[in-house]
Amino acid sequence: MIDPSRFLSDLHNLRRFGAHDDGVIRTAYSRPDISARDWLAGQMASAGLNPQFDAMGNLFGLADGPSLLLGSHTDSQPTGGWLDGALGVIAALEVARAAQEVGGPKISVVSFQDEEGRFGVTTGSAVWSGLLPLTEADTLVDHEGVTLAQARAVLGDRVSGDVGPDLFTGFIELHIEQGPTLDNNDEQIGVVTDIVGIRDRVVTLTGQQNHAGTTPMALRRDAFQGLSAFNTRLNERLRNVVVPQSVWTIGHVDLTPNASSIVPGQVRFSIQWRDGDAERLRRMQEVIEATLNEVATETGLEVAMAPLLGLEPVEMDHALRARLEAGAETIAPGRWRRMPSGALHDATNVARLMPVAMLFVPSIGGVSHAFSENTNEVDLVAGLHVLAHAAGVEQ
Ligand code: GLV
Ligand code: MN
Ligand code: MN
């Protein structure tokens, strides 16, 4: 039987790995991430599942024979919340354990690696799904210049080999919403209709490092001024192209040399944009590139754009979605809705291989990717029951 208190206690046990403030610091391949995966492998084994690490560090807990796959990720953002990813993995563990106890149905569990993109965008599931070849992934670098190949060496002899997707009949991911919709409307469950697409790239603007006291303003080639002008102009230029659901973010900025008395010679920054429509993503890209080139020319800077990373928008499988909708109507009658996901998920990559569906529970205040991320226990448990219902473990 599904045991909500065992589920909540496991969720708090996982929270201890990399605990910081009310959240976690458990980035992919860090010591807390690997310790959490070792702990999870032990829990999987105790639940009667066969734990297997693949070369990326994706951790599967396999049922015996063809099974429905449930899960999410246990790595976190550099400063992350305790539920992002963790909820879907621990709920999967509880559903699989309950299924083992009563002799079926067959449920396997996964914790994908680097969903939070230390090295790219949902890197572990991108490799597992075949979207990104491992040899190519290995050359990706994090913001400190560490390659994925170097980082994943920490897995050592944990790696047991490939886990083929043909073992699984479908995939369901439970996740926190990470936005305000359910909380604002006092609803308990969101059944996801589709997941937005994303584009993400690193840009470098290079000017001339110089003395901040002696270099006349008119002669400067100041990389920060270039970034600042780009950001302001981009917000104006995108206005004609975007809809209210479109988002764009400059989230990581590395200014060189980053000193008060030096005109900065170089800035390296991320620019990321998301939308549910692939054509709009393309139009946003055109505006971004044109604005960058324009500002670079005007300010005497050189612009270099790293390869574009991204995922396409995807629709959820209708049959699996219907099972979640039936579960939502049973557990939270009149308090659920269908909704798109503005956050990315491993489900996007897994959808290349098998039918996929997702469900959300509310995020208090719509806050996520922050230490203060939280969800009421009653909502966490409601999500667990809807998942168990859709998996055929509860009626
Ligand atoms: C994944 O957490 C994302 O960036 O949406
Ligand atoms: Mn997540
Ligand atoms: Mn996240």
Side-chain angles (χ1 to χ4, degrees):
M1 240 184 36
I2 294 289
D3 182 342
S5 57
R6 184 169 63 175
F7 154 73
L8 289 170
S9 140
D10 278 349
L11 204 47
H12 283 281
N13 285 336
L14 176 55
R15 186 182 196 171
R16 293 202 310 249
F17 295 93
H20 195 97
D21 214 327
D22 285 337
V24 290
I25 298 180
R26 203 164 61 223
T27 45
Y29 307 106
S30 65
R31 201 182 290 251
D33 169 57
I34 297 299
S35 303
R37 282 171 198 274
D38 286 340
W39 169 82
L40 181 62
Q43 298 301 304
M44 288 168 164
S46 304
L49 305 169
N50 175 16
Q52 300 274 319
F53 282 92
D54 73 5
M56 277 294 290
N58 296 316
L59 170 59
F60 292 83
L62 298 176
D64 187 14
S67 58
L68 180 66
L69 183 64
L70 307 179
S72 189
H73 61 97
T74 50
D75 64 298
S76 83
Q77 284 287 326
T79 54
W82 73 293
L83 294 169
D84 181 355
L87 170 63
V89 173
I90 298 301
L93 176 68
E94 178 56 29
V95 173
R97 186 164 44 199
Q100 288 277 339
E101 285 166 357
V102 295
K106 292 197 187 301
I107 309 288
S108 294
V109 178
V110 63
S111 168
F112 285 111
Q113 182 56 291
D114 197 26
E115 192 276 347
E116 299 290 10
R118 174 179 169 192
F119 290 100
V121 178
T122 59
T123 330
S125 57
V127 171
W128 186 64
S129 72
L131 177 69
L132 177 65
L134 182 57
T135 47
E136 204 178 301
D138 268 344
T139 66
L140 294 169
V141 280
D142 70 5
H143 290 311
E144 270 67 56
V146 177
T147 65
L148 192 146
Q150 289 165 333
R152 72 182 179 87
V154 72
L155 294 168
D157 59 10
R158 289 176 182 81
V159 176
S160 41
D162 288 346
V163 174
D166 44 343
L167 295 172
F168 311 116
T169 55
F171 175 64
I172 306 180
E173 180 169 1
L174 165 62
H175 206 280
I176 49 168
E177 180 200 334
Q178 310 184 275
T181 306
L182 295 174
D183 194 35
N184 282 350
N185 290 284
D186 195 28
E187 290 170 338
Q188 218 167 18
I189 300 291
V191 177
V192 176
T193 51
D194 44 75
I195 304 175
V196 296
I198 187 172
R199 302 288 181 265
D200 199 330
R201 85 178 343 158
V202 172
V203 176
T204 307
L205 291 175
T206 306
Q208 173 69 60
Q209 181 174 329
N210 213 333
H211 195 293
T214 58
T215 315
M217 295 309 284
L219 296 185
R220 293 184 181 200
R221 293 167 58 219
D222 181 329
F224 180 77
Q225 291 289 343
L227 170 58
S228 167
F230 165 66
N231 180 54
T232 305
R233 203 171 298 179
L234 182 64
N235 291 343
E236 290 160 9
R237 296 279 163 84
L238 280 174
R239 225 178 276 148
N240 299 329
V241 172
V242 297
V243 295
Q245 292 73 32
S246 316
V247 293
W248 59 99
T249 309
I250 296 174
H252 182 267
V253 175
D254 198 354
L255 192 65
T256 306
N258 210 17
S260 309
S261 294
I262 302 179
V263 176
Q266 191 169 73
V267 66
R268 209 169 153 267
F269 62 96
S270 61
I271 170 87
Q272 180 193 93
W273 59 106
R274 308 187 191 204
D275 195 280
D277 181 63
E279 174 55 21
R280 197 173 299 110
L281 285 171
R282 193 193 57 72
R283 291 214 300 279
M284 291 173 79
Q285 179 179 348
E286 278 175 8
V287 173
I288 288 165
E289 289 177 1
T291 309
L292 262 176
N293 286 324
E294 196 179 286
V295 166
T297 306
E298 283 172 21
T299 51
L301 302 172
E302 277 153 36
V303 54
M305 299 182 216
L308 188 67
L309 303 175
L311 294 175
E312 298 308 313
V314 294
E315 204 190 342
M316 299 294 95
D317 177 74
H318 285 246
L320 277 186
R321 225 179 87 180
R323 281 157 64 174
L324 287 171
E325 289 170 2
E329 191 51 38
T330 306
I331 304 299
R335 295 189 61 216
W336 65 277
R337 71 166 61 207
R338 300 179 184 93
M339 61 187 296
S341 172
L344 278 181
H345 298 289
D346 294 306
T348 293
N349 294 319
V350 181
R352 294 166 55 84
L353 304 169
M354 63 190 77
V356 159
M358 284 198 76
L359 72 155
F360 288 157
V361 292
S363 294
I364 297 173
V367 176
S368 184
H369 283 188
F371 289 146
S372 56
E373 165 190 291
N374 210 353
T375 297
N376 291 318
E377 271 190 6
V378 63
D379 296 333
L380 296 173
V381 171
L384 170 70
H385 283 302
V386 175
L387 182 69
H389 187 107
V393 176
E394 264 185 353
Q395 297 304 312

